[in-house]
């Protein structure tokens, strides 16, 4: 069974999880889940062992006392003529029964139960795991039936969801306003319900009726509810939910609901899609360059940015010309990556920048750690290599950021540059983020690519490689075409290292042109900006 899928399955199975630390947002952290489960199983074995010993003791005493009583009944009054028998009976009725009473009242294994109780907490872990699976379902346009039987983008894994798991996913999808996904999961739960005693078929049917209502199919929902009321005339829950539906649906418009697919079709001109959808389409491969657009892109060896590269050229692949996007290959060795991974001992839930500073957000499900360049010699060595590759000054770059992604781990579409400078710590000290170099510290079995919607490009993680792009025009203006995001992890663990390079002391490395290079493309971005503004207003 694949490790990351098994962990997701474990989360869904246990319902509530472990300790107050967060696990689901990092595969590295989630590996600890198995250690916690082992401790729970060991504690359960101890609990059963202690109670089995108690049960065996009580059975032995019961057999002994029944035997003594049987002899007394057989012998009649003669039994009590023996002083030993009188003593034994008196002892049983006093000290022995008092001892047995204490044994019966003693809560064997109470300390062990306390340990188990201290291990199991946070329901938010289950929510995170469910949302991770739904993210894969949504972004990669998968089918609920395929996911439930372990088929992910054509690859079969040894894992199966039960009806209860499918039902829970449907309820979560409904909660986060994805009714089409919810419908797929409830239908799958219904198909699997005969083999799962933990779920009531009626609950699934009621959820399906409610899902039809949320999809705008008022007639279909009413028909399903009416049938359930007829079949369950004495069921108060059914009657109550039907009454709520009648009240909530009054005056609601009727919409056509397409039950043949779990996903909305992309627009005819896919590049006019709203920004979040364009990101998803890039992750799923619906947005990509045509052969005509790719024909001028080249691969080769980089030698011109530093004299040292004449001796040790770097393999580089062009992925986009304007704005520039390239991938450098084999720029980190396995030994260097192992050293870097050992530095990441204190990763925590990743945050995003907002008007209120750094906040935890569902747009970024990963865990990260910032490490200063002075923490280890290898970090300064890497910065020198970055300078050789990019010809940019690293003196004012930020601290090294390391990140690990968990179940369905992703980072929604965003820009690396700062567009709220008055809110950004040290913005004026070092300038904006002129460029980004993203190192891949691991391979990923499935998913986890870096998508660039406006460049119609996706870079798949390759251990030891690094993606490089500019976030600003040469004029210093913000380049919105640098929009990018981390596609969800389907299977595997993704480790990355970010190097954000600042503007200061770069004028001799990337000089301005004699013209404003942003003007030529701003008109093209105007339509996209209006779409994004409309989307923001809707939210």
């Amino acid at each position: 069974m694949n490790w990351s899928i098994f962990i997701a399955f474990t989360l869904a199975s246990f319902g509530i999880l472990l300790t107050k630390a967060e696990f689901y947002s990092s595969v590295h952290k989630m590996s600890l889940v198995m250690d916690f489960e082992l401790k729970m199983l060991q504690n359960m074995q101890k609990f059963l062992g202690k109670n089995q010993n108690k049960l065996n003791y009580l059975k032995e005493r019961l057999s002994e006392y029944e035997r003594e009583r049987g002899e007394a009944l057989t012998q009649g009054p003669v039994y009590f003529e023996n002083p030993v028998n009188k003593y034994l009976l008196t002892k049983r009725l006093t000290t022995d029964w008092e001892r047995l009473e204490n044994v019966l009242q003693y809560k064997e294994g109470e300390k062990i139960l306390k340990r188990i109780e201290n291990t199991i907490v946070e329901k938010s872990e289950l929510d995170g795991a469910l949302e991770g699976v739904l993210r894969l379902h949504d972004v990669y346009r998968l089918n609920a039936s395929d996911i439930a039987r372990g088929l992910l983008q054509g690859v079969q894994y040894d894992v199966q969801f039960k009806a209860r798991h499918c039902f829970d996913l449907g309820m979560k999808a409904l909660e986060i306003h994805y009714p089409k996904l919810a419908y797929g999961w409830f239908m799958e739960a219904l198909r699997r319900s005969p083999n799962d005693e933990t779920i009531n078929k009626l609950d699934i049917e009621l959820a399906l009726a409610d899902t039809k209502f949320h999809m705008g199919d008022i007639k279909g929902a009413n028909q399903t509810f009416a049938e359930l009321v007829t079949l369950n005339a004495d069921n108060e829950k059914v009657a109550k939910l039907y009454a709520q539906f009648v009240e909530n649906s009054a005056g609601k418009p009727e919409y056509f609901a397409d039950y043949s697919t779990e996903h909305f079709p992309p627009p005819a001109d896919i590049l006019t899609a709203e920004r979040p959808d364009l990101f998803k389409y890039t992750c799923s491969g619906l947005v990509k360059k045509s052969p005509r657009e790719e024909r001028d892109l080249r691969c080769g060896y980089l030698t011109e940015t530093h004299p040292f590269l004449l001796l040790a050229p770097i393999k580089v692949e062009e992925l986009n010309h304007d704005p520039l996007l390239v991938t450098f290959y084999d720029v980190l060795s396995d030994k260097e990556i192992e050293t870097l991974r050992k530095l990441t001992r204190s990763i925590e839930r990743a945050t995003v920048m907002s008007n209120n500073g750094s906040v935890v957000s569902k747009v970024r499900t990963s865990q990260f750690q910032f490490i200063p360049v002075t923490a280890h010699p290898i970090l300064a060595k890497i910065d020198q290599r970055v300078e050789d590759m990019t010809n940019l000054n690293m003196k004012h770059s930020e601290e090294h950021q390391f990140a690990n992604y968990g179940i369905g781990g992703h980072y929604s579409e965003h820009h690396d540059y700062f567009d709220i400078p008055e809110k950004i710590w040290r913005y004026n000290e070092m300038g904006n983020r002129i460029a980004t170099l993203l190192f891949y510290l691991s391979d990923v079995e499935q998913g986890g690519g870096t998508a660039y919607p406006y460049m119609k490009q996706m870079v798949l993680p390759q251990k030891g490689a690094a993606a490089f792009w500019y976030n600003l025009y040469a004029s210093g203006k913000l380049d919105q075409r640098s929009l990018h995001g981390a596609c969800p992890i389907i299977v595997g663990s993704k480790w990355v290292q970010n190097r954000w390079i600042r503007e200061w002391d770069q004028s001799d490395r990337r000089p301005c042109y004699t013209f404003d290079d942003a003007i030529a493309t701003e008109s093209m971005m105007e339509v996209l900006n209006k779409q994004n503004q409309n989307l923001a207003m809707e939210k």
Side-chain angles (χ1 to χ4, degrees):
M1 179 181 290
N2 181 275
W3 179 251
S4 57
I5 295 180
F6 175 73
I7 293 176
F9 185 78
T10 301
L11 283 168
S13 299
F14 277 90
I16 16 184
L17 265 209
L18 317 166
T19 80
K20 294 187 177 180
E22 183 175 287
F23 291 87
Y24 73 89
S25 56
S26 166
V27 169
H28 172 66
K29 281 286 189 72
M30 284 197 63
S31 62
L32 300 175
V33 169
M34 305 308 294
D35 294 333
F36 276 105
E37 187 185 32
L38 176 60
K39 291 179 181 177
M40 291 172 65
L41 293 174
Q42 290 173 340
N43 283 325
M44 188 180 296
Q45 289 173 344
K46 291 179 181 178
F47 178 81
L48 291 173
K50 285 182 174 293
N51 279 280
Q52 186 63 53
N53 291 337
K54 174 180 176 179
L55 186 60
N56 290 339
Y57 174 79
L58 292 174
K59 284 181 176 179
E60 289 175 3
R61 298 290 77 72
L62 176 63
S63 177
E64 176 187 338
Y65 296 161
E66 285 180 338
R67 185 175 62 255
E68 291 289 343
R69 178 173 172 77
E71 291 180 5
L73 291 175
T74 302
Q75 297 180 24
V78 177
Y79 177 83
F80 297 105
E81 293 177 1
N82 187 327
V84 174
N85 290 339
K86 286 193 289 185
Y87 163 74
L88 291 176
L89 176 61
T90 306
K91 181 176 179 294
R92 286 201 302 271
L93 294 175
T94 53
T95 57
D96 285 1
W97 278 106
E98 184 179 353
R99 186 181 300 112
L100 283 175
E101 183 181 3
N102 291 334
V103 170
L104 289 167
Q105 290 179 347
Y106 180 69
K107 296 179 180 179
E108 192 71 65
E110 188 171 14
K111 291 182 179 179
I112 298 172
L113 287 174
K114 201 68 178 176
R115 290 194 205 115
I116 296 176
E117 181 182 340
N118 291 335
T119 306
I120 305 176
V121 281
E122 302 298 330
K123 182 180 178 294
S124 62
E125 291 292 333
L126 174 62
D127 292 332
L130 292 172
E131 289 177 12
V133 174
L134 292 173
R135 192 175 301 116
L136 299 179
H137 188 183
D138 176 41
V139 172
Y140 294 110
R141 304 177 74 81
L142 306 177
N143 295 320
S145 59
D146 288 339
I147 300 174
R149 62 190 179 98
L151 182 63
L152 304 177
Q153 281 196 327
V155 181
Q156 183 66 57
Y157 296 96
D158 183 20
V159 62
Q160 290 280 339
F161 280 2
K162 295 182 179 180
R164 165 57 66 181
H165 303 138
C166 298
F167 180 78
D168 289 344
L169 283 160
M171 294 301 291
K172 175 54 69 172
L174 209 55
E175 178 187 325
I176 60 178
H177 310 297
Y178 282 89
K180 285 181 75 69
L181 302 188
Y183 185 83
W185 284 110
F186 288 138
M187 288 300 296
E188 189 61 26
L190 198 60
R191 284 190 285 269
R192 293 171 178 262
S193 61
N195 300 318
D196 190 346
E197 297 178 354
T198 66
I199 186 71
N200 188 337
K201 182 182 177 182
L202 179 59
D203 289 336
I204 303 173
E205 293 170 330
L206 288 169
L208 276 168
D210 189 38
T211 303
K212 290 180 179 180
F213 167 63
H214 282 87
M215 293 176 69
D217 184 9
I218 307 300
K219 290 182 179 178
N222 185 68
Q223 181 179 351
T224 303
F225 269 121
E227 290 173 356
L228 293 175
V229 168
T230 302
L231 294 172
N232 303 273
D234 298 329
N235 193 305
E236 294 182 3
K237 180 180 179 180
V238 175
K240 181 180 179 181
L241 290 176
Y242 184 41
Q244 289 177 355
F245 160 74
V246 172
E247 181 181 350
N248 294 333
S249 62
K252 294 280 186 180
E254 175 84 21
Y255 295 100
F256 169 74
D258 182 5
Y259 296 111
S260 65
T261 176
E262 297 169 18
H263 304 278
F264 291 103
D269 183 357
I270 200 168
L271 296 181
T272 63
E274 295 177 339
R275 202 172 89 172
D277 290 330
L278 194 61
F279 167 67
K280 294 176 184 178
Y281 296 150
T282 308
C283 289
S284 63
L286 293 179
V287 172
K288 58 184 177 181
K289 290 184 184 296
S290 66
R292 182 183 181 89
E293 292 170 312
E294 289 182 327
R295 68 183 182 184
D296 292 328
L297 301 175
R298 297 289 183 266
C299 297
Y301 285 92
L302 180 69
T303 59
E304 59 268 25
T305 54
H306 194 277
F308 176 74
L309 297 184
L310 293 170
L311 300 175
I314 293 175
K315 288 185 287 186
V316 61
E317 178 183 8
E318 295 176 339
L319 300 175
N320 202 73
H321 282 156
D322 184 24
L324 180 66
L325 171 64
V326 300
T327 299
F328 301 108
Y329 292 98
D330 300 324
V331 290
L332 287 177
S333 68
D334 288 348
K335 186 175 181 179
E336 288 174 323
I337 290 173
E338 184 180 354
T339 300
L340 292 171
R341 289 280 298 275
K342 289 178 180 178
L343 297 177
T344 56
R345 299 293 188 187
S346 305
I347 60 173
E348 58 186 14
R349 177 62 190 267
T351 58
V352 298
M353 296 304 298
S354 72
N355 291 320
N356 299 318
S358 296
V359 295
V360 171
S361 172
K362 289 185 178 181
V363 305
R364 186 180 193 183
T365 50
S366 64
Q367 297 202 14
F368 67 6
Q369 180 180 356
F370 285 93
I371 301 178
V373 69
T374 55
H376 194 282
I378 194 174
L379 301 178
K381 181 180 177 182
I382 288 173
D383 276 0
Q384 180 59 56
R385 194 173 304 164
V386 172
E387 192 163 329
D388 295 345
M389 289 189 293
T390 65
N391 196 35
L392 292 175
N393 195 324
M394 296 298 291
K395 286 192 298 183
H396 299 287
S397 58
E398 299 175 34
E399 292 184 343
H400 292 247
Q401 187 207 67
F402 297 86
N404 180 238
Y405 292 79
I407 298 172
H410 80 309
Y411 191 174
S412 295
E413 72 287 347
H414 64 282
H415 295 96
D416 282 353
Y417 58 64
F418 300 138
D419 55 1
I420 44 173
E422 68 280 1
K423 297 287 186 180
I424 304 301
W425 173 67
R426 295 183 67 189
Y427 174 87
N428 292 323
E429 282 190 42
M430 301 185 293
N432 214 326
R433 291 171 172 171
I434 188 173
T436 299
L437 190 75
L438 177 65
F439 288 101
Y440 296 105
L441 306 183
S442 66
D443 295 314
V444 178
E445 292 179 55
Q446 277 187 280
T450 308
Y452 303 82
Y454 297 145
M455 303 185 210
K456 295 192 281 187
Q457 192 61 265
M458 180 168 66
V459 180
L460 293 174
Q462 184 171 328
K463 189 177 182 181
F468 172 78
W469 66 93
Y470 286 111
N471 299 307
L472 309 177
Y473 290 99
S475 62
K477 290 186 177 180
L478 311 180
D479 192 342
Q480 297 184 53
R481 300 171 300 169
S482 66
L483 182 79
H484 63 285
C487 301
I489 306 295
I490 299 178
V491 175
S493 177
K494 179 182 176 183
W495 280 93
V496 296
Q497 177 185 6
N498 275 303
R499 298 306 293 122
W500 288 305
I501 307 169
R502 295 296 191 98
E503 285 181 288
W504 268 38
D505 287 350
Q506 305 291 1
S507 58
D508 61 329
R509 307 292 184 100
R510 193 196 186 198
C512 297
Y513 300 120
T514 56
F515 60 91
D516 188 346
D517 60 328
I519 294 176
T521 53
E522 277 187 348
S523 59
M524 295 187 293
M525 299 300 297
E526 189 174 353
V527 175
L528 294 170
N529 286 336
K530 288 181 179 179
Q531 290 179 353
N532 293 334
Q533 289 172 2
N534 293 336
L535 179 63
M537 291 175 65
E538 290 176 5
K539 289 184 177 180

